């Protein structure tokens, strides 16, 4: 599949590689906050709410660590609009949707055990799935959005049903941030040809995500980065792009086990 683009280009702006680097930084901070601080240093997986409050009252250091962990969680959500945007751009530019879908699906599968280890301190967690599964579902959604791209009441109704189905699949599978990733992807798809307005679409999507998690207030700021997107791919390292997430998860998960 190949889609001809009429993208508004900004000379010396921010290319896709730059957007991805910032998304990786935001994501890494969230993983460290959850795995190292919450699970490793604070052992929040084993504490009740009352026990945590008592620990915070007894130790200013615990209060400081909890504050840092919460800040890291807010920063982590800043990655969501950027990855959703990159997914939309990747879908529009790919020459093979099937290969792109396989890569995203493979990344989701490979990341699952490291995700469970970093976020839950265990290898298997049947109640939660890593966010890449949300991107996988969002990518399937984009395929059908493109298939029914023509304007009209019928196609609009079909796309709403497709969005609802993606939304429900994320909820049923317990995909972390999945609902927000699907919502952001759908909104950024609507603004795909809006040039300078893409940042506004990202901002609106982030604001809507606060309905599901107040942490997404921070992601509103990262959407501003999309304003300077110049439509260029930039220098990409495919191995780094797809290996970074599971590698960081695995490293943080192992460290958290040693310090926990």
């Amino acid at each position: 599949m190949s889609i001809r683009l009429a993208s508004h280009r900004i000379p010396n702006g921010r290319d896709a590689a730059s957007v991805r680097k910032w998304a990786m930084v935001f994501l890494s901070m969230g993983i460290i906050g959850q795995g190292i601080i919450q699970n490793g240093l604070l052992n929040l997986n084993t504490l009740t709410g009352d026990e945590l409050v008592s620990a915070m009252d007894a130790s200013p250091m615990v209060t400081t660590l909890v504050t840092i962990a919460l800040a890291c969680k807010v920063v982590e959500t800043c990655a969501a609009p950027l990855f959703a945007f990159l997914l939309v751009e990747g879908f529009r530019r790919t020459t093979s949707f099937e290969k792109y879908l396989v890569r995203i699906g493979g990344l989701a599968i490979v990341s699952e055990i490291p995700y469970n280890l970093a976020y839950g301190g265990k290898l298997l967690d049947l109640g939660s799935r890593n966010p890449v599964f949300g991107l996988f579902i969002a990518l399937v959604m984009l395929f059908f959005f493109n298939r029914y791209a023509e304007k009209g009441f019928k196609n609009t109704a079909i796309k709403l049903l497709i969005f609802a189905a993606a939304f429900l699949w994320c909820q049923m599978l317990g995909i972390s941030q999945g609902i927000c990733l699907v919502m952001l992807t759908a909104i950024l798809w609507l603004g795909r040809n809006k040039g300078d307005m893409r940042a506004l679409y990202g901002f609106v999507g982030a604001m809507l995500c606060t309905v599901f998690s107040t942490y997404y207030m921070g992601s509103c700021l990262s959407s501003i980065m999309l304003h300077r997107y110049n439509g260029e791919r930039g220098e990409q390292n495919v191995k780094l792009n797809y290996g970074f997430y599971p590698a960081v998860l695995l490293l943080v998960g192992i460290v958290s086990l040693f310090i926990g």
Side-chain angles (χ1 to χ4, degrees):
M1 179 190 65
S2 179
I3 301 175
R4 185 179 297 276
L5 301 182
S7 178
H8 179 67
R9 298 180 184 274
I10 302 174
N12 301 319
R14 191 182 303 279
D15 58 31
S18 177
V19 173
R20 185 179 297 276
K21 287 175 183 177
W22 276 105
M24 288 177 173
V25 170
F26 296 144
L27 189 60
S28 298
M29 292 183 67
I31 296 171
I32 291 171
Q34 177 72 38
I36 302 295
I37 300 177
Q38 292 191 45
N39 297 344
L41 298 176
L42 296 174
N43 290 314
L44 292 189
N45 288 336
T46 62
L47 295 179
T48 64
D50 291 338
E51 289 173 339
L52 177 60
V53 171
S54 297
M56 292 173 66
D57 290 338
S59 172
M61 179 57 70
V62 173
T63 302
T64 300
L65 289 175
V66 170
T67 302
I68 294 173
L70 291 175
C72 287
K73 195 168 184 65
V74 172
V75 171
E76 181 184 20
T77 66
C78 292
L82 304 184
F83 279 120
F85 175 74
L86 291 170
L87 188 76
V88 171
E89 286 296 288
F91 173 76
R92 298 174 71 199
R93 295 173 183 274
T94 185
T95 57
S96 174
F97 169 76
E98 293 78 10
K99 291 181 180 179
Y100 191 30
L101 186 67
V102 168
R103 288 198 299 268
I104 297 297
L107 177 59
I109 294 171
V110 170
S111 300
E112 185 63 10
I113 290 180
Y115 174 82
N116 293 336
L117 190 62
Y119 279 75
K122 51 189 176 182
L123 296 178
L124 185 63
D125 184 358
L126 298 179
S128 178
R129 301 290 179 273
N130 74 78
V132 184
F133 281 106
L135 291 176
F136 179 84
I137 290 176
L139 185 57
V140 175
M141 176 184 72
L142 290 180
F143 173 80
F144 287 104
F145 277 5
N146 188 60
R147 188 168 184 176
Y148 297 97
E150 296 295 328
K151 294 182 179 180
F153 176 80
K154 179 181 178 181
N155 282 355
T156 299
I158 291 174
K159 283 182 283 191
L160 286 174
L161 289 174
I162 293 167
F163 172 77
F167 187 101
L168 290 174
W169 271 108
C170 288
Q171 186 174 35
M172 288 188 297
L173 293 175
I175 298 173
S176 176
Q177 302 187 56
I179 290 174
C180 291
L181 286 169
V182 163
M183 182 177 296
L184 284 164
T185 301
I187 292 174
L188 287 167
W189 173 257
L190 291 176
R192 63 194 181 279
N193 295 318
K194 302 301 182 180
D196 293 339
M197 296 291 288
R198 62 172 67 90
L200 177 60
Y201 278 80
F203 180 84
V204 170
M207 287 298 295
L208 290 174
C209 287
T210 61
V211 173
F212 303 97
S213 173
T214 55
Y215 292 116
Y216 270 84
M217 288 296 295
S219 67
C220 298
L221 297 177
S222 71
S223 63
I224 297 174
M225 298 177 64
L226 303 180
H227 177 69
R228 293 292 298 170
Y229 177 65
N230 61 13
E232 300 293 337
R233 187 172 183 268
E235 294 185 8
Q236 299 279 346
N237 186 321
V238 176
K239 292 182 179 179
L240 177 62
N241 290 347
Y242 287 93
F244 177 84
Y245 184 55
V248 172
L249 285 172
L250 184 59
L251 177 61
V252 169
I254 292 173
V255 172
S256 67
L257 289 177
F258 279 101
I259 66 177

